[in-house]
Amino acid sequence: MIQIGDACPAFTLKDQHGNERTITSLLGKTKIVLFFYPKDDTTGCTKEACSFRDAHEDFLSLGCTVIGISSDSVSSHKAFAEKYQLNYILLADTEKKVRKLFGVPANLFGLIPGRVTYIIDLDGKVKGVFNSQTDPLGHIKHALDLVRSL
């Protein structure tokens, strides 16, 4: 599992518009909040996604890009983003390669993908890791506090 002090691994995934996004194009240019969540349009994930939406201006003002990743498809992400007016990047990790690359654990006997948030600084190093399946809203406050301190 990726831990504090590790370099952010390189990856490319499609966003909710079908455009390829490469994390290396952002590293060194912006701080990054990268959050893995289980599934679009479920209760906890919707609360988390909408909380990141509501705090998005705060993250932007701190020079930070917010990115959400799940194994849902591009079309699912597009519908999810439109339904809840999500104003940040959603990436489709349909083969769960990036989830595995980061070592995001599954919960509940491996049936539910984990919920983990990573904070990445301008040097491309992981400065924070928040892991909690049951607290989808706590990640936003922790992430914002840590980004403020960078």
Side-chain angles (χ1 to χ4, degrees):
M1 181 175 184
I2 297 294
Q3 298 180 2
I4 293 172
D6 291 345
C8 177
F11 64 87
T12 301
L13 293 171
K14 289 189 178 183
D15 68 14
Q16 68 264 41
H17 306 292
N19 301 316
E20 283 197 350
R21 299 285 192 128
T22 303
I23 195 71
T24 54
S25 69
L26 296 173
L27 296 175
K29 297 177 185 162
T30 180
K31 301 168 204 165
I32 300 168
V33 170
L34 185 68
F35 71 98
F36 289 86
Y37 64 100
K39 186 155 183 59
D40 290 344
D41 222 1
T42 57
T43 303
C45 296
T46 299
K47 287 178 184 177
E48 180 180 32
C50 289
S51 293
F52 271 116
R53 175 202 63 205
D54 296 345
H56 191 243
E57 289 299 319
D58 294 329
F59 284 107
L60 285 178
S61 72
L62 296 168
C64 185
T65 299
V66 175
I67 301 170
I69 300 178
S70 81
S71 59
D72 293 300
S73 68
V74 169
S75 61
S76 176
H77 280 340
K78 183 173 176 60
F80 186 49
E82 288 174 356
K83 182 176 182 179
Y84 295 102
Q85 301 170 351
L86 304 179
N87 49 5
Y88 51 85
I89 301 164
L90 294 179
L91 298 177
D93 187 20
T94 56
E95 296 177 15
K96 301 178 183 171
K97 289 181 179 179
V98 177
R99 184 174 285 278
K100 289 176 188 167
L101 185 64
F102 275 77
V104 176
N107 294 351
L108 194 63
F109 307 109
L111 299 176
I112 298 174
R115 181 185 317 279
V116 180
T117 300
Y118 297 88
I119 311 305
I120 302 160
D121 71 5
L122 286 170
D123 294 325
K125 301 286 185 194
V126 174
K127 293 297 183 181
V129 179
F130 307 106
N131 182 354
S132 175
Q133 189 70 29
T134 59
D135 184 15
L137 300 181
H139 289 220
I140 292 88
K141 180 187 178 329
H142 291 308
L144 200 50
D145 288 346
L146 184 53
V147 169
R148 277 191 187 109
S149 74
L150 297 178

